[in-house]
Amino acid sequence: MKNKNKDKHKHIRAKLIANPGAGNEVDAPSLLEQAVRCLTHHGIKVNVAYASPKKECRILAKRAVEKGYKIVIAMGGDGTIGEVIRGIAGSDVALGVIVGGTMNDIAASLGIPEDVEAACALIAKGDTRELDLGQIKTRKHKKFYFFMVTVIGLTAALYPDVKKIPKGKFKEKFTALKDAVVTLVEHEAKPEVLLTLDDESKIKVDTMLVTIANTPLIASKNLVAPDASMQDGLFDISVFPDYNKAEVLSYFKRTEEENLIPDGKLQRFRAHKIKVKSTPKLEISADGISLGKGTCIIKMNRRALRVFAPPIGSGDEKSQADGEEELSAPLSPFIKPNKESST
């Protein structure tokens, strides 16, 4: 009996970009071997490239597009997948995801299985979804694509120090933790942030943190945007007014592992485009990449990324009654009508 999947893919090559340093380094070789074997079984011819450090993934993904690959598969965690996305952005290449890292929020948001064989079968099935892709402009970065979230403020400031914390030696771990504590203590307690939504509504608020999310989950499966859809053309924005530093950190601790914590102080908005100005200038990061400080402009690229993924509702992403519906930003006491032209 013929393998239908094999016939479907027999003329299609796939580039598999794997980060050998992602996840459990002991298991990584056997998982990669399993992935190649499974994809081959489904009739997908795979060309494997190792990418370490992660920044090499973007270069390899761009080369795969230039060489005519129609499928690029990222095997690793969110960092690896994010770099591959930036490499194929703007092309018609379809992205496959095989979980292999410690941070797997993209797969969890989309409902992509963590089991290697199940993920390969999903790619072989050939069903894709056209997903939204965020783009941010800062003083140092004119066009930076992100899939999950942009963070302005406290957690963006802490991320570089936290990322340096090693898994092993106490001395290095203590030094990195000390740096993170110093950053936390010295961070401005009441910065003023001005958000302009879709060149119309303006929000002026004292807050040390703003998150602008495309996916429901960020960081360690923190459910920061429970209503986020990756096909509605809108960012889900969370503002944390009247929170002190301990409350911000406590909130994220309590929302770990996909838990939703009701909090009456949290303000939520939705928009296609957001301009953020802060005084003093706050740190900015997108998908865990530091992008400097100050003003940023964020816009949504509607359905700019094709991904092999199950239907909406399989992961943490909620179903939308109509993906084409234009939804306005919800009002809150912090919004002031904008009578002036947007700058």
Side-chain angles (χ1 to χ4, degrees):
M1 184 175 178
K2 283 189 176 182
N3 184 331
K4 292 182 180 180
N5 286 329
K6 186 171 182 179
D7 290 342
K8 186 175 183 179
H9 290 286
K10 65 180 180 179
H11 298 301
I12 297 178
R13 301 174 300 155
K15 187 73 174 183
L16 173 57
I17 300 172
N19 180 2
N24 188 328
E25 295 184 24
V26 175
D27 295 334
S30 61
L31 290 176
L32 178 58
E33 182 182 347
Q34 182 184 8
V36 172
R37 185 171 62 250
C38 186
L39 289 166
T40 303
H41 171 75
H42 285 290
I44 302 175
K45 186 177 181 181
V46 180
N47 180 278
V48 179
Y50 292 95
S52 182
K54 293 174 186 175
K55 65 182 179 181
E56 294 176 357
C57 296
R58 192 186 315 187
I59 297 171
L60 290 170
K62 284 183 177 180
R63 287 177 183 168
V65 173
E66 293 167 357
K67 290 180 179 180
Y69 284 92
K70 298 302 181 183
I71 298 174
V72 174
I73 302 169
M75 185 170 184
D78 291 331
T80 301
I81 298 165
E83 287 298 317
V84 171
I85 287 173
R86 281 182 276 281
I88 67 174
S91 74
D92 61 354
V93 170
L95 173 69
V97 173
I98 300 176
V99 173
T102 53
M103 305 286 273
N104 303 307
D105 292 328
I106 292 175
S109 290
L110 286 168
I112 294 172
E114 293 193 4
D115 177 76
V116 170
E117 292 193 5
C120 292
L122 180 66
I123 295 169
K125 187 179 179 183
D127 294 337
T128 61
R129 290 176 54 197
E130 293 182 341
L131 305 179
D132 299 335
L133 188 60
Q135 181 182 321
I136 180 171
K137 178 182 177 181
T138 66
R139 186 173 62 85
K140 293 184 177 180
H141 295 79
K142 299 302 180 185
K143 182 189 287 189
F144 185 89
Y145 290 105
F146 68 96
F147 185 63
M148 293 186 292
V149 65
T150 287
V151 178
I152 296 108
L154 181 59
T155 53
L158 286 173
Y159 186 79
D161 293 326
V162 173
K163 189 168 66 170
K164 293 176 185 176
I165 298 175
K167 295 181 179 180
K169 299 177 181 179
F170 174 79
K171 184 177 179 181
E172 286 82 354
K173 184 178 293 188
F174 177 80
T175 300
L177 282 170
K178 184 179 69 174
D179 292 341
V181 171
V182 170
T183 300
L184 176 63
V185 171
E186 293 181 348
H187 193 273
E188 174 66 39
K190 289 190 176 181
E192 183 179 87
V193 176
L194 175 65
L195 293 93
T196 304
L197 308 183
D198 295 328
D199 297 323
E200 295 178 353
S201 301
K202 285 196 173 183
I203 306 165
K204 192 174 185 179
V205 59
D206 290 341
T207 181
M208 66 180 70
L209 179 63
V210 177
T211 63
I212 299 169
N214 182 39
T215 58
L217 301 175
I218 66 168
S220 300
K221 290 188 170 60
N222 290 105
L223 189 60
V224 297
D227 297 317
S229 166
M230 289 165 267
Q231 288 183 257
D232 64 355
L234 295 167
F235 292 107
D236 282 46
I237 306 154
S238 297
V239 181
F240 295 74
D242 301 322
Y243 281 71
N244 60 39
K245 296 172 186 178
E247 287 174 326
V248 169
L249 298 179
S250 175
Y251 178 84
F252 280 90
K253 179 63 179 175
R254 289 182 291 131
T255 57
E256 281 183 353
E257 298 304 321
E258 304 170 57
N259 292 319
L260 177 60
I261 305 298
D263 194 318
K265 292 198 298 181
L266 188 64
Q267 299 291 317
R268 296 190 185 277
F269 310 94
R270 307 183 82 191
H272 306 272
K273 179 183 177 183
I274 307 101
K275 182 177 181 179
V276 186
K277 296 179 70 174
S278 56
T279 307
K281 294 179 180 179
L282 294 177
E283 293 81 357
I284 304 165
S285 70
D287 284 357
I289 307 296
S290 295
L291 301 179
K293 296 183 180 182
T295 300
C296 62
I297 298 174
I298 303 164
K299 67 178 183 179
M300 186 69 85
N301 290 289
R302 192 78 189 273
R303 301 189 175 185
L305 179 69
R306 281 205 306 136
V307 181
F308 293 101
I312 296 176
S314 302
D316 283 86
E317 180 189 21
K318 287 189 176 180
S319 299
Q320 297 291 317
D322 183 359
E324 298 293 333
E325 183 181 1
E326 295 291 334
L327 300 177
S328 61
L331 298 179
S332 89
F334 292 96
I335 287 192
K336 298 179 181 180
N338 179 18
K339 296 181 180 179
E340 303 174 357
S341 61
S342 177
T343 57

